[in-house]
Amino acid sequence: MSRFGKLAARLQRLDAYAKPLEDFSTRTLAGGVLTVAAMLAVAVLVGLELMAHGRADLVPSLVVDRERAEKMQISLDITLPRAPCAVLGVAVADAAGELQASAVQHVSRTRLDSSGAVISDTRDDSEAAKPPATDAAGKPYCGSCYGGVAPDSGCCNTCVSVHEAYSRRGWAFTDPDSIEQCVREGYVKRLRAQEGEGCRMQGYVDVNKVAGALRISGGETVDTGGSLVHRSYDYMPSFDFSHTIHSLAFGRQLPGLRSPLTGVTKPAATEHTRFQYFVKVVGSEIRFGNGTVARSNEYAATEFSKPSDPGLHLMYDISPMRVVYTEHRRSLATLLTSICAIVGGITTVASLVDASIFRAERALRRKQELGKHH
């Protein structure tokens, strides 16, 4: 015998899969049914494994947030169906001592009628009442600021400029009917014309990444030198702070992460209801498999309302921790191992079940044959 023949003979003696002769094998109906069922089960489970292999999982981990010296953007989209846009303002105060009495630079306000439809005719009648070119003495017109802090030009030619001068002084704007510019523009009349309207506020506010409060209030907000005071007056239209939060995010909205306050609707029991949301902000980032990183913030919120000065306040605090989501995809070796386990496991179980059924059928057949002989 050749050397190859001897090696083949030795390997043949190691065969753990001895094959029965075809003449000594039996095919049964139960075996055929089990074979089809096993093949279907293998096909389904292997298909699920292939789908799972193509899907990336986000594995979370917790780290210390070291990115502290930065700004944070609060994006909002809120509808207040019973608060006219003319009386709404946004203010921010934080633990660093920064006060923003009017933080509406990047917030648009859309007027809504009582049914919630957008009011398309939003012309400002004050444009039709422009200040005169000259005063009674024939000199260029320069409106009085009525004791407020005048702008660089030294003149307050519109009602808004007088209001801003009062705000810089920390004074309340209590009697616009006594101010020539406001009377000329019909300021109070325009405010009262929005009685019964609502407002949708959309945009963002830049804040320091420290604990603070974002306040949506009615009336005016005045910086009194270290604190913000919210005031409303009798000449303003009535309002309450029933609201629907369409979206609220601290930073960009990351894919797959839903904000807990999205879709929240709260009706106000009375005009003097203040809504407060206590928000815990946690930094988050997603590290994708291609090396890109997306950073934002997640938050948890609790809500509390009480009879008080009306408003909608977001009291936010910043967590020192950051949640990092790392994109993880299973390797090809893991996929092949899972497929082998599925095929081997189902085949083994099916063969055990088939053997049990075959033995049971054979035992029953023998009993029947013995009964015929007796």
mmCIF file with all atom_site columns, all heavy atoms in Angstrom, residues 95-111:
data_model
loop_
_atom_site.group_PDB
_atom_site.id
_atom_site.type_symbol
_atom_site.label_atom_id
_atom_site.label_alt_id
_atom_site.label_comp_id
_atom_site.label_asym_id
_atom_site.label_entity_id
_atom_site.label_seq_id
_atom_site.pdbx_PDB_ins_code
_atom_site.Cartn_x
_atom_site.Cartn_y
_atom_site.Cartn_z
_atom_site.occupancy
_atom_site.B_iso_or_equiv
_atom_site.pdbx_formal_charge
_atom_site.auth_seq_id
_atom_site.auth_comp_id
_atom_site.auth_asym_id
_atom_site.auth_atom_id
_atom_site.pdbx_PDB_model_num
ATOM 1   N N   . ALA A 1 95  ? -26.885 80.802 36.598 1.00 0.00 ? 95  ALA A N   1
ATOM 2   C CA  . ALA A 1 95  ? -26.088 80.810 37.819 1.00 0.00 ? 95  ALA A CA  1
ATOM 3   C C   . ALA A 1 95  ? -24.807 81.612 37.671 1.00 0.00 ? 95  ALA A C   1
ATOM 4   O O   . ALA A 1 95  ? -24.179 81.972 38.675 1.00 0.00 ? 95  ALA A O   1
ATOM 5   C CB  . ALA A 1 95  ? -25.760 79.371 38.217 1.00 0.00 ? 95  ALA A CB  1
ATOM 6   N N   . ALA A 1 96  ? -24.393 81.905 36.435 1.00 0.00 ? 96  ALA A N   1
ATOM 7   C CA  . ALA A 1 96  ? -23.197 82.713 36.213 1.00 0.00 ? 96  ALA A CA  1
ATOM 8   C C   . ALA A 1 96  ? -23.477 84.204 36.381 1.00 0.00 ? 96  ALA A C   1
ATOM 9   O O   . ALA A 1 96  ? -22.552 85.018 36.299 1.00 0.00 ? 96  ALA A O   1
ATOM 10  C CB  . ALA A 1 96  ? -22.633 82.445 34.820 1.00 0.00 ? 96  ALA A CB  1
ATOM 11  N N   . GLY A 1 97  ? -24.736 84.552 36.609 1.00 0.00 ? 97  GLY A N   1
ATOM 12  C CA  . GLY A 1 97  ? -25.103 85.942 36.808 1.00 0.00 ? 97  GLY A CA  1
ATOM 13  C C   . GLY A 1 97  ? -25.491 86.675 35.540 1.00 0.00 ? 97  GLY A C   1
ATOM 14  O O   . GLY A 1 97  ? -25.786 87.871 35.575 1.00 0.00 ? 97  GLY A O   1
ATOM 15  N N   . GLU A 1 98  ? -25.523 85.976 34.406 1.00 0.00 ? 98  GLU A N   1
ATOM 16  C CA  . GLU A 1 98  ? -25.905 86.623 33.156 1.00 0.00 ? 98  GLU A CA  1
ATOM 17  C C   . GLU A 1 98  ? -27.420 86.709 33.055 1.00 0.00 ? 98  GLU A C   1
ATOM 18  O O   . GLU A 1 98  ? -28.129 85.725 33.264 1.00 0.00 ? 98  GLU A O   1
ATOM 19  C CB  . GLU A 1 98  ? -25.347 85.858 31.960 1.00 0.00 ? 98  GLU A CB  1
ATOM 20  C CG  . GLU A 1 98  ? -25.698 86.505 30.617 1.00 0.00 ? 98  GLU A CG  1
ATOM 21  C CD  . GLU A 1 98  ? -25.032 85.809 29.439 1.00 0.00 ? 98  GLU A CD  1
ATOM 22  O OE1 . GLU A 1 98  ? -23.956 85.208 29.635 1.00 0.00 ? 98  GLU A OE1 1
ATOM 23  O OE2 . GLU A 1 98  ? -25.603 85.873 28.334 1.00 0.00 ? 98  GLU A OE2 1
ATOM 24  N N   . LEU A 1 99  ? -27.914 87.892 32.713 1.00 0.00 ? 99  LEU A N   1
ATOM 25  C CA  . LEU A 1 99  ? -29.344 88.132 32.567 1.00 0.00 ? 99  LEU A CA  1
ATOM 26  C C   . LEU A 1 99  ? -29.627 88.586 31.139 1.00 0.00 ? 99  LEU A C   1
ATOM 27  O O   . LEU A 1 99  ? -28.948 89.458 30.603 1.00 0.00 ? 99  LEU A O   1
ATOM 28  C CB  . LEU A 1 99  ? -29.816 89.208 33.546 1.00 0.00 ? 99  LEU A CB  1
ATOM 29  C CG  . LEU A 1 99  ? -29.554 88.961 35.036 1.00 0.00 ? 99  LEU A CG  1
ATOM 30  C CD1 . LEU A 1 99  ? -30.019 90.156 35.856 1.00 0.00 ? 99  LEU A CD1 1
ATOM 31  C CD2 . LEU A 1 99  ? -30.267 87.703 35.510 1.00 0.00 ? 99  LEU A CD2 1
ATOM 32  N N   . GLN A 1 100 ? -30.636 87.962 30.531 1.00 0.00 ? 100 GLN A N   1
ATOM 33  C CA  . GLN A 1 100 ? -31.109 88.383 29.216 1.00 0.00 ? 100 GLN A CA  1
ATOM 34  C C   . GLN A 1 100 ? -32.589 88.724 29.363 1.00 0.00 ? 100 GLN A C   1
ATOM 35  O O   . GLN A 1 100 ? -33.436 87.835 29.406 1.00 0.00 ? 100 GLN A O   1
ATOM 36  C CB  . GLN A 1 100 ? -30.925 87.277 28.174 1.00 0.00 ? 100 GLN A CB  1
ATOM 37  C CG  . GLN A 1 100 ? -29.493 86.837 27.961 1.00 0.00 ? 100 GLN A CG  1
ATOM 38  C CD  . GLN A 1 100 ? -29.376 85.773 26.884 1.00 0.00 ? 100 GLN A CD  1
ATOM 39  O OE1 . GLN A 1 100 ? -29.836 85.950 25.751 1.00 0.00 ? 100 GLN A OE1 1
ATOM 40  N NE2 . GLN A 1 100 ? -28.759 84.651 27.226 1.00 0.00 ? 100 GLN A NE2 1
ATOM 41  N N   . ALA A 1 101 ? -32.885 90.024 29.474 1.00 0.00 ? 101 ALA A N   1
ATOM 42  C CA  . ALA A 1 101 ? -34.272 90.434 29.671 1.00 0.00 ? 101 ALA A CA  1
ATOM 43  C C   . ALA A 1 101 ? -35.121 90.210 28.427 1.00 0.00 ? 101 ALA A C   1
ATOM 44  O O   . ALA A 1 101 ? -36.331 89.988 28.521 1.00 0.00 ? 101 ALA A O   1
ATOM 45  C CB  . ALA A 1 101 ? -34.331 91.903 30.090 1.00 0.00 ? 101 ALA A CB  1
ATOM 46  N N   . SER A 1 102 ? -34.494 90.248 27.248 1.00 0.00 ? 102 SER A N   1
ATOM 47  C CA  . SER A 1 102 ? -35.213 90.025 25.996 1.00 0.00 ? 102 SER A CA  1
ATOM 48  C C   . SER A 1 102 ? -34.351 89.145 25.102 1.00 0.00 ? 102 SER A C   1
ATOM 49  O O   . SER A 1 102 ? -33.444 89.642 24.420 1.00 0.00 ? 102 SER A O   1
ATOM 50  C CB  . SER A 1 102 ? -35.537 91.348 25.306 1.00 0.00 ? 102 SER A CB  1
ATOM 51  O OG  . SER A 1 102 ? -36.226 91.131 24.088 1.00 0.00 ? 102 SER A OG  1
ATOM 52  N N   . ALA A 1 103 ? -34.624 87.825 25.137 1.00 0.00 ? 103 ALA A N   1
ATOM 53  C CA  . ALA A 1 103 ? -33.808 86.858 24.387 1.00 0.00 ? 103 ALA A CA  1
ATOM 54  C C   . ALA A 1 103 ? -34.590 86.333 23.191 1.00 0.00 ? 103 ALA A C   1
ATOM 55  O O   . ALA A 1 103 ? -34.693 85.131 22.970 1.00 0.00 ? 103 ALA A O   1
ATOM 56  C CB  . ALA A 1 103 ? -33.385 85.709 25.298 1.00 0.00 ? 103 ALA A CB  1
ATOM 57  N N   . VAL A 1 104 ? -35.165 87.249 22.417 1.00 0.00 ? 104 VAL A N   1
ATOM 58  C CA  . VAL A 1 104 ? -36.022 86.850 21.294 1.00 0.00 ? 104 VAL A CA  1
ATOM 59  C C   . VAL A 1 104 ? -35.370 87.117 19.942 1.00 0.00 ? 104 VAL A C   1
ATOM 60  O O   . VAL A 1 104 ? -36.045 87.096 18.913 1.00 0.00 ? 104 VAL A O   1
ATOM 61  C CB  . VAL A 1 104 ? -37.380 87.580 21.368 1.00 0.00 ? 104 VAL A CB  1
ATOM 62  C CG1 . VAL A 1 104 ? -38.159 87.158 22.593 1.00 0.00 ? 104 VAL A CG1 1
ATOM 63  C CG2 . VAL A 1 104 ? -37.173 89.104 21.343 1.00 0.00 ? 104 VAL A CG2 1
ATOM 64  N N   . GLN A 1 105 ? -34.056 87.348 19.934 1.00 0.00 ? 105 GLN A N   1
ATOM 65  C CA  . GLN A 1 105 ? -33.393 87.684 18.671 1.00 0.00 ? 105 GLN A CA  1
ATOM 66  C C   . GLN A 1 105 ? -33.551 86.579 17.634 1.00 0.00 ? 105 GLN A C   1
ATOM 67  O O   . GLN A 1 105 ? -33.647 86.842 16.438 1.00 0.00 ? 105 GLN A O   1
ATOM 68  C CB  . GLN A 1 105 ? -31.901 87.957 18.912 1.00 0.00 ? 105 GLN A CB  1
ATOM 69  C CG  . GLN A 1 105 ? -31.611 89.166 19.779 1.00 0.00 ? 105 GLN A CG  1
ATOM 70  C CD  . GLN A 1 105 ? -31.629 88.843 21.259 1.00 0.00 ? 105 GLN A CD  1
ATOM 71  O OE1 . GLN A 1 105 ? -32.037 87.763 21.661 1.00 0.00 ? 105 GLN A OE1 1
ATOM 72  N NE2 . GLN A 1 105 ? -31.180 89.794 22.072 1.00 0.00 ? 105 GLN A NE2 1
ATOM 73  N N   . HIS A 1 106 ? -33.557 85.316 18.088 1.00 0.00 ? 106 HIS A N   1
ATOM 74  C CA  . HIS A 1 106 ? -33.644 84.182 17.164 1.00 0.00 ? 106 HIS A CA  1
ATOM 75  C C   . HIS A 1 106 ? -34.945 83.398 17.350 1.00 0.00 ? 106 HIS A C   1
ATOM 76  O O   . HIS A 1 106 ? -35.004 82.224 17.023 1.00 0.00 ? 106 HIS A O   1
ATOM 77  C CB  . HIS A 1 106 ? -32.450 83.259 17.366 1.00 0.00 ? 106 HIS A CB  1
ATOM 78  C CG  . HIS A 1 106 ? -31.121 83.942 17.236 1.00 0.00 ? 106 HIS A CG  1
ATOM 79  N ND1 . HIS A 1 106 ? -30.651 84.423 16.036 1.00 0.00 ? 106 HIS A ND1 1
ATOM 80  C CD2 . HIS A 1 106 ? -30.184 84.255 18.169 1.00 0.00 ? 106 HIS A CD2 1
ATOM 81  C CE1 . HIS A 1 106 ? -29.469 84.988 16.229 1.00 0.00 ? 106 HIS A CE1 1
ATOM 82  N NE2 . HIS A 1 106 ? -29.159 84.901 17.508 1.00 0.00 ? 106 HIS A NE2 1
ATOM 83  N N   . VAL A 1 107 ? -35.958 84.059 17.899 1.00 0.00 ? 107 VAL A N   1
ATOM 84  C CA  . VAL A 1 107 ? -37.250 83.410 18.134 1.00 0.00 ? 107 VAL A CA  1
ATOM 85  C C   . VAL A 1 107 ? -38.314 84.142 17.318 1.00 0.00 ? 107 VAL A C   1
ATOM 86  O O   . VAL A 1 107 ? -38.509 85.353 17.488 1.00 0.00 ? 107 VAL A O   1
ATOM 87  C CB  . VAL A 1 107 ? -37.638 83.425 19.628 1.00 0.00 ? 107 VAL A CB  1
ATOM 88  C CG1 . VAL A 1 107 ? -39.009 82.779 19.827 1.00 0.00 ? 107 VAL A CG1 1
ATOM 89  C CG2 . VAL A 1 107 ? -36.588 82.695 20.454 1.00 0.00 ? 107 VAL A CG2 1
ATOM 90  N N   . SER A 1 108 ? -38.976 83.417 16.430 1.00 0.00 ? 108 SER A N   1
ATOM 91  C CA  . SER A 1 108 ? -40.063 84.010 15.641 1.00 0.00 ? 108 SER A CA  1
ATOM 92  C C   . SER A 1 108 ? -41.390 83.778 16.356 1.00 0.00 ? 108 SER A C   1
ATOM 93  O O   . SER A 1 108 ? -41.591 82.743 17.003 1.00 0.00 ? 108 SER A O   1
ATOM 94  C CB  . SER A 1 108 ? -40.109 83.397 14.239 1.00 0.00 ? 108 SER A CB  1
ATOM 95  O OG  . SER A 1 108 ? -40.435 82.016 14.306 1.00 0.00 ? 108 SER A OG  1
ATOM 96  N N   . ARG A 1 109 ? -42.283 84.738 16.238 1.00 0.00 ? 109 ARG A N   1
ATOM 97  C CA  . ARG A 1 109 ? -43.607 84.640 16.850 1.00 0.00 ? 109 ARG A CA  1
ATOM 98  C C   . ARG A 1 109 ? -44.672 84.771 15.761 1.00 0.00 ? 109 ARG A C   1
ATOM 99  O O   . ARG A 1 109 ? -44.734 85.794 15.084 1.00 0.00 ? 109 ARG A O   1
ATOM 100 C CB  . ARG A 1 109 ? -43.769 85.715 17.922 1.00 0.00 ? 109 ARG A CB  1
ATOM 101 C CG  . ARG A 1 109 ? -42.948 85.447 19.172 1.00 0.00 ? 109 ARG A CG  1
ATOM 102 C CD  . ARG A 1 109 ? -42.934 86.618 20.134 1.00 0.00 ? 109 ARG A CD  1
ATOM 103 N NE  . ARG A 1 109 ? -42.100 87.711 19.643 1.00 0.00 ? 109 ARG A NE  1
ATOM 104 C CZ  . ARG A 1 109 ? -41.806 88.792 20.366 1.00 0.00 ? 109 ARG A CZ  1
ATOM 105 N NH1 . ARG A 1 109 ? -42.292 88.916 21.598 1.00 0.00 ? 109 ARG A NH1 1
ATOM 106 N NH2 . ARG A 1 109 ? -41.044 89.740 19.867 1.00 0.00 ? 109 ARG A NH2 1
ATOM 107 N N   . THR A 1 110 ? -45.466 83.717 15.626 1.00 0.00 ? 110 THR A N   1
ATOM 108 C CA  . THR A 1 110 ? -46.500 83.675 14.586 1.00 0.00 ? 110 THR A CA  1
ATOM 109 C C   . THR A 1 110 ? -47.862 83.839 15.232 1.00 0.00 ? 110 THR A C   1
ATOM 110 O O   . THR A 1 110 ? -48.229 83.065 16.127 1.00 0.00 ? 110 THR A O   1
ATOM 111 C CB  . THR A 1 110 ? -46.441 82.341 13.815 1.00 0.00 ? 110 THR A CB  1
ATOM 112 O OG1 . THR A 1 110 ? -45.135 82.153 13.282 1.00 0.00 ? 110 THR A OG1 1
ATOM 113 C CG2 . THR A 1 110 ? -47.459 82.327 12.693 1.00 0.00 ? 110 THR A CG2 1
ATOM 114 N N   . ARG A 1 111 ? -48.615 84.824 14.778 1.00 0.00 ? 111 ARG A N   1
ATOM 115 C CA  . ARG A 1 111 ? -49.938 85.068 15.345 1.00 0.00 ? 111 ARG A CA  1
ATOM 116 C C   . ARG A 1 111 ? -50.936 84.017 14.880 1.00 0.00 ? 111 ARG A C   1
ATOM 117 O O   . ARG A 1 111 ? -50.949 83.611 13.712 1.00 0.00 ? 111 ARG A O   1
ATOM 118 C CB  . ARG A 1 111 ? -50.426 86.464 14.950 1.00 0.00 ? 111 ARG A CB  1
ATOM 119 C CG  . ARG A 1 111 ? -49.643 87.593 15.592 1.00 0.00 ? 111 ARG A CG  1
ATOM 120 C CD  . ARG A 1 111 ? -50.006 88.950 14.999 1.00 0.00 ? 111 ARG A CD  1
ATOM 121 N NE  . ARG A 1 111 ? -51.421 89.257 15.158 1.00 0.00 ? 111 ARG A NE  1
ATOM 122 C CZ  . ARG A 1 111 ? -52.006 90.326 14.631 1.00 0.00 ? 111 ARG A CZ  1
ATOM 123 N NH1 . ARG A 1 111 ? -51.304 91.169 13.895 1.00 0.00 ? 111 ARG A NH1 1
ATOM 124 N NH2 . ARG A 1 111 ? -53.292 90.543 14.821 1.00 0.00 ? 111 ARG A NH2 1
#
